[in-house]
């Protein structure tokens, strides 16, 4: 007869619900692009956060084992990751464009003065009737150095780090607690982990 082990329901629920963050992580590069971050900067951020996450996993695991605070550390990490992930929605886009006044004496703009820049507006480059002191929107490609000086970008990286940087440690704490809950019945670990895969498929279908 089919029966449910109520003692294992919390770990099943954790695997199922936490897998929803995996879907968000896969969409993080798209979120960066929507915020105005160049592709090369996205790759740089992911590389740095991955390396930082490796050190966090090692140090956090040592602290948890020494002080025997696996569950407390897991709860703290989940709260921090949740706050950081939800903060993505409220962060403003990175400013990559600014208005610029074009002072012209003959009423037109020379292309040589606008090299490596893009002008937004209908017929700005071709118009010969542009009035002096016209204000147009000039969007330039921001370099990595300029990007690092942007508060919006720094806040974006910090929020991302709170989740992505602690991913390995959360997985380690989860597995450790799962084996403790199983109390020696390690063969049942796969049955619990299965709910993580079910959660990923379910959340991926909903989010997609």
């Amino acid at each position: 007869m089919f029966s449910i082990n109520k003692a294992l329901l919390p770990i099943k629920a954790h695997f199922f619900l936490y897998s929803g963050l995996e879907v968000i992580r896969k969409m993080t590069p798209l979120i960066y692009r929507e915020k105005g971050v160049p592709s090369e900067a996205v790759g740089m951020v992911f590389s740095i956060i991955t390396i930082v996450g490796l050190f966090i996993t090692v140090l956090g695991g040592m602290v948890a084992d020494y002080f025997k605070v696996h569950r407390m550390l897991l709860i703290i990490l989940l709260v921090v990751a949740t706050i950081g992930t939800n903060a993505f929605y409220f962060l403003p886009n990175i400013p990559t464009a600014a208005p610029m006044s074009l002072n012209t004496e003959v009423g037109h703009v020379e292309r040589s003065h606008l090299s490596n820049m893009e002008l937004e507006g209908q017929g700005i480059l071709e118009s010969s009737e542009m009035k002096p002191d016209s204000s147009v929107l000039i969007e330039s490609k921001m370099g990595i150095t300029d990007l690092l000086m942007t508060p919006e970008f720094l806040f974006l990286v910090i929020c991302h780090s709170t989740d992505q940087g602690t991913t390995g440690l959360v997985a380690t704490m989860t597995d450790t607690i799962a084996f403790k809950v199983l109390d020696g019945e390690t063969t049942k670990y796969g049955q619990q982990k299965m709910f993580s895969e079910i959660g990923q498929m379910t959340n991926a279908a909903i989010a997609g």
Side-chain angles (χ1 to χ4, degrees):
M1 183 177 179
F2 180 76
S3 60
I4 299 176
N5 189 339
K6 295 182 180 180
L8 298 179
L9 282 179
I11 194 66
K12 288 183 173 68
H14 170 77
F15 276 122
F16 182 85
L17 296 175
Y18 183 72
S19 62
L21 288 178
E22 294 294 336
V23 180
I24 298 177
R25 294 188 186 104
K26 291 178 174 61
M27 294 184 178
T28 304
L30 298 178
I31 297 176
Y32 268 85
R33 296 296 293 123
E34 288 182 352
K35 294 294 184 181
V37 181
S39 301
E40 58 271 17
V42 176
M44 179 191 68
V45 171
F46 272 76
S47 299
I48 295 175
I49 290 180
T50 301
I51 297 174
V52 172
L54 176 62
F55 287 99
I56 292 177
T57 301
V58 175
L59 295 177
M62 294 173 60
V63 172
D65 290 339
Y66 184 81
F67 293 101
K68 307 297 181 182
V69 289
H70 299 91
R71 298 194 183 195
M72 180 182 299
L73 182 59
L74 177 62
I75 293 175
I76 294 175
L77 291 173
L78 291 177
V79 172
V80 173
T82 302
I83 295 175
T85 303
N86 284 278
F88 266 104
Y89 180 79
F90 301 98
L91 293 177
N93 294 338
I94 296 176
T96 58
M100 178 177 180
S101 178
L102 300 176
N103 297 317
T104 60
E105 296 179 358
V106 294
H108 68 278
V109 181
E110 296 182 4
R111 290 177 181 270
S112 60
H113 294 166
L114 301 176
S115 59
N116 299 327
M117 292 186 177
E118 298 176 358
L119 295 181
E120 292 185 356
Q122 185 176 2
I124 290 179
L125 290 178
E126 302 298 335
S127 174
S128 60
E129 299 180 354
M130 183 175 290
K131 297 179 180 180
D133 300 325
S134 297
S135 179
V136 297
L137 189 63
I138 295 182
E139 183 174 359
S140 60
K141 293 183 179 179
M142 184 178 294
I144 300 296
T145 304
D146 297 328
L147 197 62
L148 293 175
M149 300 300 294
T150 307
E152 291 84 356
F153 177 73
L154 295 179
F155 282 123
L156 186 65
V157 173
I158 292 173
C159 292
H160 182 201
S161 301
T162 57
D163 171 38
Q164 192 72 25
T166 57
T167 301
L169 185 54
V170 169
T172 302
M173 294 298 101
T174 300
D175 291 341
T176 303
I177 295 172
F179 282 114
K180 285 185 176 181
V181 172
L182 292 174
D183 194 21
E185 297 180 310
T186 55
T187 55
K188 293 184 179 181
Y189 173 77
Q191 299 175 5
Q192 320 310 315
K193 189 68 174 180
M194 176 184 64
F195 284 87
S196 177
E197 306 303 322
I198 295 175
Q200 285 194 44
M201 292 186 293
T202 303
N203 291 315
I206 295 174

